[in-house]
């Protein structure tokens, strides 16, 4: 097998390498390249536009992820470092009050400058400084630098997903409905398995992240699998193997009542049943805030759906497509997910239920590296008692509001603003989507959005009491 | 002791009476009279005004509580019943989509008609029909009627509290700052005990309501205590003793981590420390939404506070008063409560922690029947390890978002809209306030408001991990 | 004839009386009584409600007109005068920045206090002081006091009209649609004359107010006519005969192109033709701002109209009535008036055209003293070349924006804020309405409202070029 | 002199040429080239951004002006013409309801596609078709085509000014404050002449446009002057010499009262006097709507001004500059202009006064072809009785609301929407600005904006009554 980017699988497997500066540099380069690869299909104009407050221009994502490394690593650890541009510290800070004021989020689309090219130059310069720092920093600083680098890589991966969801919103707002990419093959449409319930007996359960060193064999196998996809992916996964976000900790005990969870995601076809039953006209299925949202926005179907000649179509990153009834449903918000579940006679899972139910699921699926950027119809399976689609395809709404775990400690300093201050009026989502990097997701990962959000790749898995 | 309203304590104690129609009528009359007593100090004009969407005119409360009995009892169980006024079914329905459309909540203050007098006539007529129904309904209907009556009484008690909080908002919006009532004596200002931590070892805990029949002795004692205050209060308590709202059920097991909770409420003086430390200027203490709220509203102190000649004053239902540093803090929202706790180095309690910690607290305190309608400074206590102020004074913000308990089933029919549909973007509050009827509160009671709310009597009790 | 209020027609005719303090007092008492008469049909609750920013509670009108006399006369001319209530100076100042800050206009409906009764007491007290002042002021002050009194009387008359239009909006916002009054007889429905054009040759024309002393005979006749209606009306008219608002001055020359103006007002039936031709769906008839207004408000018919069983009904101060096709159209805004005129192939008159065309019209019509408070179908006339309905029924929209006349000088001091500062984005209306006091209107009178306004009694007279 | 673009001055002077197809083509090419020249300094990103509803992206201007020719000329006169792109007819229609629906104005900045390059291709294709049409159209169509071409050229010239004012707003919204261009030399700062009053005796005056054929000598001279600047400019002027917008017609008689008008524009220094006197804090100088605007926007100085180290700076298209007290004031809205005039003890001129007072002024000044794009300090003049700066520098606010002239007839068809439907809530401005093309302005030209507008180059000339 070819050694891409100079990494060999053997090197990755060696114990020395796992603590080496080379690994850090390889992982850093890999994530930075991957971000830029995602922007290749875009015209300069595409990188400038902001179509709602929560959507940021591609250009801003490219700069903000760079600012993150500059602000939290170069500014603190690179002796004598001078900011690349004092105003960038203001323009590309997202929400870290501790390090300084920020440009108005809703006005990121007002900035024609710096140009896209200037942003790429900014990236190159910071990359060069970062490599320099990682090569030359005193050994004493390496542990802390490694921690920050791992956060920065995971941060950039979150923005990779946002680059995709944001440009989808931008393109969908344009009557021309341009495509972001054209997949090599049309998605296959075929029947899928029936929905089945997987039961869980309840009782005490441990929830949250704790690092477990894998056996050498298992680790080698995991590395080899990732290496098959991309050597940088393997390097990042290796570097970040002990990482989780602060909101996934501490691991703690909860008590679950018995429950059952669906083996697969809700499909477009099942959701059409809700539409045909006038579900958007019946307040009895909706949360009070949800009904308010539905009326205020005159919502009558998932985001990106529209009717053409009486047929449901949807805008996708591959352009407009007919809605496939067997595909996983996507782009519903919490209100819609909750209303659908109530209409169906079930409910959404709690996040601790989800985490328990998926604890043995394999960490693969239709993720960003599939280059589909759209959920896919699963192959029919003989074993219908197996929970499928746990990772990738769509983020799964849970009925759990986003709160701190008992004993939660936010990270020190400005990075403490990363997660903790958002623990209000948000719902937890689990499992990653077709736009989530493969090495970024795990069983304990807690995504969160406010309940009206639906421009992310969000869908539904049902649950019920026993 | 005098037999008010014809009830004797002996009658209340008799087993027969507890299932009698007389008890139902006595309890009904009692709550209806109490509501009207609360409105005695008001001018006709006071009963018409709405100063924000969430505030309803007194007149509307008087009519809506009446509509509740008409809609859910008379319309369903009184043979041949014709609505008092078809349009009232529309005007005084709050949010029950299942029974029909509603007048716009934000425009309740646009209605000069029906006049206050006409609303009182409406009350009298419905009362007459209700007594008639309770006296003459077939015995088969009595169990269901009794259930609905109990809900209706508890519903009216919630609106008694709202009548007080709403008129406080109305009066405070008027530069003349009129008083609602003038207490017989000035509130005593005196030192209070230090704050101490009461520890709880964690582990499995049962949370939620389950009816436990008291021993006859204990029940007699409770009845006698309430009878001392008011015979109608005793009747209502007796009738409702098995009642809880659907959101308090089912009783279920949770697992608590060890924690400590403050023995008393946070005082005005302690909160002034937060103000003096520029707490409202330091984003690091605030939730992201909280900081947004604080900026959007230019908030710099609790609601109803204002500075006069450099001294903090507050509007109270007894008119403007100087802020007493030893009194419990009141009229802060969740954002302020959370920011204060973080500033103080602690946190707010979870609702299951609160319920466990107060499970042995006696059900009394500064409640509505004290006729203070304002929190009071507690007497210093020798025993500082005892948790005080659990009930009354102020509703205590918890860090728990308002969600369903595992196995939750909303009530059938339209009353299923009472609680369940609000389980989104709200925080749970516990313990009742100085405006909560004495027989309406209990250890498992879950109040809920959205995090920016602060016109209710809301305050803070601190907690911390161990 | 009976001497009401102690005035005799002979006294009114005497030269001495015209400069007497008695005349001032009689006129003052008359206007004050008339205002209170208008409020007789209202319940206390009706006087408190504000249904949009531009609508003030009746109570506020009662107090504000009183404040006007207190602020501008008692405070300046009554030696040693102390304000009745310092806070009233703030609460009941409308928009006079020069004399001090004001309570927020949009929140006048938030004030339950002072009560209606307290406001009437305020009126009585100020009235007593005013009579005292008018009786005892040094003779040197009388000319200035007389000027201010005349302004105050005219000011109160404007608020009489507003009391009616505002309570109409309040009642119409209530699904109960209560009536303000019930006329003695149903309005007669009968055919009306065709619309005819009255031509004007154009050329130089003098526009604006200038006092012309009437011959004694003419003055006697005018006084007698008014005295037949009400002796107070005659007194007010006599006192104010030299008065006009500052915006009607100076009289000046303009040059008119030849034009024709309609002999009568546009009727409901004619406007229904516009509705039936889908006029509200055709942007080609509308001003750009008008089309925006129509879409933003989803407007499809005049204010207060609604369809019931496919028949047009309208809310009137006498309660709901079927729309009479022969009655003058009412409650359209400038956008609707302009669109209708364009659809009809004509245009609205300019204000100088209107003033020239009506210069010989008699000053009577369906005005406030008719106690109809609704436009009426005119009697068919043999002489169709006569311009009818110039005064009363409805204010007639002109195509003239409200600007200053050449040489305009606003009044000195705070009263300079009365008119001048509103000369932007308003249109001039002419002729008075069914809610305008008879002695308040004249041929040169310039009313003004912003183009989207339609809760006033506003209608249409057409014009065209020749 | 060199024959640029193949035009010779002699050819321009020949009678035949004035009715030739060559002239039409030369004028068309000239205006189209000039538009693209204006965009040369811009990066692709700059052409995409919209910073407020009234600001359109440069790209949109480039496409919309092209659409104008396609929609009104090619679609109607080019046999067999198929639209370049059906969706462009929707995307690039501004407000012509008669020809079809339009993309939302406020969302023009949401469109990343078509790209800037695709828009330039669109321009090239339409240009080729236009030349083809002008060369090959049947002679019978030429008069109408010529009329439409003249409108299209003038339309494109209006958008040339908008391209400049809009990009100024875009750049100024960016903390990096990039410059659009860098002038060859710094603007000279020097003293200016005192303000003097030029008196006008009033009386009958003719207002509005009427074509007067110049004597051959005068026409030759005018052509030569323009040719010195640019041959295309001369061609456009020749082609359009009989043109005015419909709102400048018909010429009609008005009657003026005697007045005086200032010889020059108000300067920054004079406006600083208003600032120093706390003019923005004194409601007595402001229109009621103006004071509301000032409070709602917390306005305290002209747009683009800011204080740095206690010195007034302003953003200009050449980047940030210190405010020169002798330069003409710019970027004030009608409210500010009116308040300043009242503070100064004067008033703004009426539009008929302005037109009469400037009727003999020469049609030159600091206009777009100066390539300054900023007002300049005039040279001191010996003759202070001469009115200077009538054309160019800044548009001058008049006190005249924008209404139709007596006898006004909007153009037929969709072009009737060009001006007439905006005649409500707008003020007339006169004289052109430093961003107005030289051959686009004239003494009768009526520009109009709503009173709160200030991102155009707008300033003040004072007037007073005599």
């Amino acid at each position: 097998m070819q050694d891409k980017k100079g990494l060999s699988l053997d090197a990755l497997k060696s114990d020395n390498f796992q603590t080496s500066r080379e690994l850090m540099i390889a992982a850093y380069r890999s994530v930075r390249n991957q971000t830029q690869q995602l922007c290749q299909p875009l015209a300069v104009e595409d990188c400038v536009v902001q179509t709602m407050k929560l959507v940021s221009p591609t250009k801003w994502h490219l700069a903000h992820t760079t600012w993150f490394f500059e602000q939290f690593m170069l500014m603190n650890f690179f002796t004598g470092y001078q900011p690349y541009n004092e105003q960038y510290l203001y323009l590309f800070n997202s929400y870290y009050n501790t390090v300084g004021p920020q440009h108005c989020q809703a006005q990121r689309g007002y900035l024609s400058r710096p140009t896209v090219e200037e942003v790429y130059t900014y990236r190159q310069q910071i990359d060069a400084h970062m490599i320099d720092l990682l090569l030359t920093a005193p050994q004493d600083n390496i542990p802390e630098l490694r921690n920050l680098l791992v956060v920065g890589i995971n941060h950039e991966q979150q923005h990779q997903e946002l680059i995709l969801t944001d440009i989808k919103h931008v393109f969908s707002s344009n009557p021309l409905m341009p495509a972001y990419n054209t997949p090599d093959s049309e998605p296959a449409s075929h029947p899928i398995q029936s929905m089945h319930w997987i039961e869980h007996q309840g009782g005490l359960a441990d929830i949250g992240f704790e690092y477990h060193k894998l056996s050498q064999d298992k680790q080698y196998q995991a590395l080899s699998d990732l290496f098959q996809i991309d050597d940088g992916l393997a390097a990042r996964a290796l570097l970040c193997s002990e990482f989780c976000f602060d909101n996934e900790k501490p691991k703690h005990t909860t008590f679950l009542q018995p429950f059952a969870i669906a083996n697969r995601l809700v499909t477009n076809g099942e959701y059409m049943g809700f539409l045909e039953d006038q579900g958007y006209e019946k307040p009895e299925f909706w949360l009070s805030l949800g009904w308010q949202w539905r009326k205020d926005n005159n919502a009558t179907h998932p985001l990106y759906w529209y009717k053409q000649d009486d047929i449901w179509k949807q805008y996708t990153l591959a352009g407009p497509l007919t809605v496939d009834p067997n595909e996983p449903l996507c782009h519903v918000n919490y209100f819609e997910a909750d209303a659908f579940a109530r209409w169906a006679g079930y409910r959404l899972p709690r996040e601790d239920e989800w985490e328990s139910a998926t604890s043995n699921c394999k960490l693969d699926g239709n993720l960003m590296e599939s280059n589909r950027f759209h959920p896919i119809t699963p192959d029919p399976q003989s074993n219908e008692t197996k929970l499928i689609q746990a990772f990738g395809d769509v983020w799964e709404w849970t009925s759990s509001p986003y709160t701190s775990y008992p004993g939660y400690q936010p990270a020190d300093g400005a990075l403490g603003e990363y997660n903790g201050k958002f623990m209000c009026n948000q719902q937890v989502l689990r499992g990653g989507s077709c736009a989530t990097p493969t090495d970024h997701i795990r069983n304990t990962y807690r995504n969160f959005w406010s309940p009206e959000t639906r421009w992310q790749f969000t869908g539904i898995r049902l649950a019920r009491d026993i």
Side-chain angles (χ1 to χ4, degrees), chain A:
Chain A
M1 151 159 242
Q2 192 193 347
D3 271 2
K4 290 164 288 183
K5 299 174 200 128
L7 290 179
S8 74
L9 184 55
D10 285 345
L12 286 170
K13 286 180 179 170
S14 74
D15 278 357
N16 275 2
F17 191 73
Q18 296 182 21
T19 57
S20 70
R21 298 178 185 230
E22 285 77 10
L23 176 61
M24 291 164 70
I25 292 169
Y28 176 78
R29 280 191 166 134
S30 168
V31 80
R32 300 286 285 170
N33 284 339
Q34 195 179 30
T35 302
Q36 298 186 193
Q37 284 302 318
L38 283 176
C39 302
Q40 282 317 303
L42 301 179
V44 167
E45 291 88 340
D46 301 331
C47 300
V48 179
V49 171
Q50 175 173 41
T51 44
M52 65 174 180
K53 185 182 171 187
L54 285 175
V55 161
S56 295
T58 313
K59 189 172 69 135
W60 187 90
H61 288 297
L62 287 168
H64 165 67
T65 48
T66 305
W67 165 87
F68 195 93
F69 290 111
E70 184 183 27
Q71 177 72 54
F72 292 115
M73 296 187 69
L74 296 179
M75 299 275 285
N76 292 331
F77 290 91
F78 199 117
T79 313
Y81 184 79
Q82 292 302 314
Y84 179 80
N85 183 325
E86 285 283 355
Q87 288 177 296
Y88 286 14
L89 300 182
Y90 169 80
L91 289 176
F92 301 122
N93 180 359
S94 52
Y95 54 66
Y96 295 87
N97 295 311
T98 316
V99 299
Q102 306 109 41
H103 188 245
C104 173
Q105 182 180 359
Q107 299 184 357
R108 290 174 184 164
Y110 288 6
L111 304 176
S112 65
R113 313 287 179 94
T115 62
V116 173
E117 191 180 340
E118 287 166 344
V119 167
Y120 276 112
T121 302
Y122 175 44
R123 286 183 71 90
Q124 286 161 10
Q125 292 289 313
I126 298 302
D127 285 353
H129 289 307
M130 280 292 294
I131 304 298
D132 199 5
L133 174 67
L134 294 176
L135 286 174
T136 64
Q139 192 59 34
D140 284 359
N141 287 349
I142 289 297
E144 191 166 353
L145 285 175
R146 182 171 168 137
N147 285 344
L148 289 169
L149 183 69
V150 165
V151 174
I153 287 171
N154 277 274
H155 173 259
E156 183 137 354
Q157 291 181 313
Q158 292 182 319
H159 282 275
Q160 288 171 351
E161 178 150 7
L162 288 171
I163 284 171
L164 290 165
T165 55
D166 288 2
I167 203 66
K168 184 169 183 179
H169 195 268
V170 168
F171 282 154
S172 78
S173 302
N174 191 326
L176 302 174
M177 287 203 276
Y180 164 76
N181 68 344
T182 315
D184 303 333
S185 57
E186 275 293 292
S189 184
H190 52 72
I192 57 159
Q193 63 197 115
S194 310
M195 202 184 83
H196 283 268
W197 294 105
I198 297 168
E199 302 204 344
H200 190 289
Q201 66 188 20
L204 290 173
D206 279 350
I207 298 298
F209 181 86
E210 193 178 48
Y211 175 62
H212 291 290
K213 196 165 172 51
L214 292 180
S215 71
Q216 212 174 47
D217 276 2
K218 285 201 174 171
Q219 192 189 4
Y220 283 2
Q221 186 55 48
L223 272 180
S224 300
D225 288 354
L226 294 171
F227 197 84
Q228 293 299 325
I229 305 177
D230 181 88
D231 63 343
L233 176 59
R236 277 148 33 201
L238 186 59
L239 183 76
C240 302
S241 58
E242 301 184 29
F243 174 77
C244 76
F245 282 110
D246 58 12
N247 62 15
E248 301 171 55
K249 291 192 288 194
K251 185 172 185 176
H252 63 285
T253 302
T254 63
F255 188 88
L256 298 176
Q257 323 302 320
F259 69 95
I261 194 163
N263 61 330
R264 64 160 171 78
L265 297 172
V266 167
T267 64
N268 289 326
E270 285 158 350
Y271 201 79
M272 285 172 183
F274 179 57
L275 294 188
E276 283 155 20
D277 193 34
Q278 307 296 324
Y280 280 77
E281 303 302 324
K282 298 182 175 170
E284 59 265 34
F285 297 130
W286 295 76
L287 288 165
S288 181
L289 282 181
W291 187 243
Q292 196 61 48
W293 167 85
R294 175 252 165 281
K295 283 189 296 178
D296 289 350
N297 295 276
N298 198 21
T300 55
H301 52 72
L303 185 64
Y304 300 139
W305 285 30
Y306 59 97
K307 272 230 166 138
Q308 201 173 58
D309 302 330
D310 215 38
I311 289 172
W312 282 115
K313 312 281 281 186
Q314 63 180 326
Y315 175 75
T316 77
L317 281 171
L321 288 179
T322 298
V323 175
D324 178 346
N326 291 324
E327 253 177 33
L329 169 72
C330 196
H331 295 301
V332 289
N333 65 21
Y334 179 67
F335 298 132
E336 293 166 298
D338 177 82
F340 173 82
R342 192 167 294 115
W343 170 81
Y346 305 114
R347 61 170 175 83
L348 300 177
R350 290 182 185 78
E351 68 165 322
D352 49 10
E353 292 173 340
W354 192 96
E355 189 168 323
S356 293
T358 62
S359 58
N360 292 319
C361 292
K362 192 154 183 292
L363 261 169
D364 61 14
N366 174 25
L367 290 146
M368 193 177 83
E369 279 76 5
S370 308
N371 287 312
R372 277 281 181 199
F373 312 129
H374 194 70
I376 55 174
T377 309
D379 286 326
Q381 297 205 321
S382 50
N383 181 1
E384 292 180 334
T385 63
K386 197 181 150 199
L387 192 152
I388 63 167
Q389 300 167 311
F391 300 105
D393 285 314
V394 293
W395 288 99
E396 305 176 23
W397 286 106
T398 76
S399 67
S400 297
Y402 178 48
T403 58
S404 61
Y405 285 164
Y408 169 67
Q409 290 298 334
D412 288 335
L415 288 176
E417 297 188 57
Y418 203 111
N419 282 303
K421 73 179 180 182
F422 299 107
M423 291 176 174
C424 187
N425 290 7
Q426 315 254 359
Q427 293 295 124
V428 172
L429 301 103
R430 293 295 193 116
S433 82
C434 54
T436 309
T438 298
D439 58 321
H440 184 70
I441 194 64
R442 60 198 154 263
N443 165 253
T444 59
Y445 195 103
R446 307 173 80 198
N447 196 357
F448 52 91
W449 290 104
S450 61
E452 72 278 9
T453 308
R454 51 182 203 161
W455 97 109
Q456 297 296 303
F457 291 96
T458 46
I460 308 175
R461 183 185 301 274
L462 295 172
R464 62 174 173 82
D465 298 330
I466 299 183

